[in-house]
Amino acid sequence: MFLLRNDIQLECHWLQIIWIRIFKIYQHFKTRNHYNLLNVYTVEVSLSDMSDTELTYDSYLGLDKLLHCQDLETEKAGNKVDEEHLFIIVHQVFELWFKQILVDLRTIVGTFPKLDVKNRDFAGIPSKLGRIILILKLIIGHFEIIETMPPATFLNFRKYLKSGSGFQSLQFRLIENTLGLLKETRKAHKQGKDYTDEFNATQRVEAEKSEKGPSLFAVFENWLERIFREFVDDKKTYCDGLEKMVDAWSKDAGNQCDKDALMGIIEEKKYEKSGKRLSYEAFHGALLISLYQEDPEFQKAYETIKLVMDVDALVSKWRHSHVLMVHRMLGKKTGTGGTSGYDYLKKTNEDDYRVFIELFHLSAFLIPYEYKPKAALYKQGE
């Protein structure tokens, strides 16, 4: 009983304290009523504003704009063709992926000059090249989606496209320029016309700027040159070693070894007259890496060369798939942009448009491992 009485007394004591506190709070709000009402209103407005600007899935991705920018020209003309929607979607997706390729390409181009050739850390370049490769494989597959549209259906809305043409894709031209496609290599789409003539003034400035800016070819070539200079102390000793390998191979293999061709790349003066785009030191940097690709010094470098080749090959495959799709849809009709259509596109898929084609030619100058000298042709780490 004594314990129960004490508990009741303690509970009453705390209730008294709580009521006193509540009364004081009431008095405080009563004397400052207007001020506190204003505070309450401000809080309510702030909460309301916050709910209006809250980041959501839709607002983050801009879906209100993205999903409502498929304006069908046939619908505007009162003659809607449903397949035009597919045509727009596929090309918009191309442009979105082109944008990501450009972001990654520019990062790679900016990173290559900073690489320490003695260090095997490639600062994320292989992973970004790998991502570009995956994107290119993905968008090549988009042509199969377009080809689900019968050519006759395409004709039902083609006239509404007027002069609009894929040739006018600024981002694809920026990709070409950033890879290192030379302006003089480009085939004229119309007699006496430059590809930049298809752009507005702002786009033209951007395209011309990209022609003069750093390219993947330029920084990659410089990287190969730096590797050659770092690992080859004496060019004569290196060339003598290659000649001995060629001599030994030619005696064993006969016509399987094109000795004249091999000597043409070993002798610097002959090489410079060959018209190759890669400099002598860059070419031999790539050759050295390929000959010793299994050595720790060059494993990552060889992987990077292969990735660059994959990008080059997939751009060529994208062009080829584009050519076939246009041929399937239009035959040999003139393109909407005024080009010769299929005939023009075929020319853009020739070897001249393959920026890194000399890396593919390199295989013709490889020498079997068994003919490598015991002493490596390069300076090995301690």
Side-chain angles (χ1 to χ4, degrees), residues 255-266:
N255 59 7
Q256 288 185 20
C257 172
D258 190 342
K259 187 173 181 178
D260 290 340
L262 286 163
M263 293 307 296
I265 59 103
I266 293 172

Side-chain angles (χ1 to χ4, degrees), residues 181-196:
L181 182 65
L182 298 173
K183 186 164 186 173
E184 54 268 29
T185 298
R186 291 184 181 276
K187 305 292 190 295
H189 65 297
K190 296 176 188 174
Q191 191 171 2
K193 289 283 187 180
D194 187 81
Y195 79 99
T196 59

Side-chain angles (χ1 to χ4, degrees), residues 282-341:
F283 180 88
H284 280 276
L287 182 63
L288 186 67
I289 292 167
S290 299
L291 287 173
Y292 292 95
Q293 59 189 260
E294 294 181 355
D295 290 13
E297 289 88 347
F298 298 124
Q299 285 174 1
K300 202 74 174 177
Y302 182 67
E303 179 191 344
T304 303
I305 288 177
K306 286 201 303 177
L307 290 170
V308 170
M309 291 171 72
D310 286 344
V311 169
D312 190 72
L314 285 165
V315 170
S316 184
K317 285 181 181 179
W318 188 92
R319 292 184 194 278
H320 181 65
S321 297
H322 186 207
V323 171
L324 292 179
M325 185 271 292
V326 169
H327 200 196
R328 178 193 293 263
M329 292 292 181
L330 294 175
K332 299 191 79 174
K333 290 178 184 174
T334 302
T336 49
T339 70
S340 57

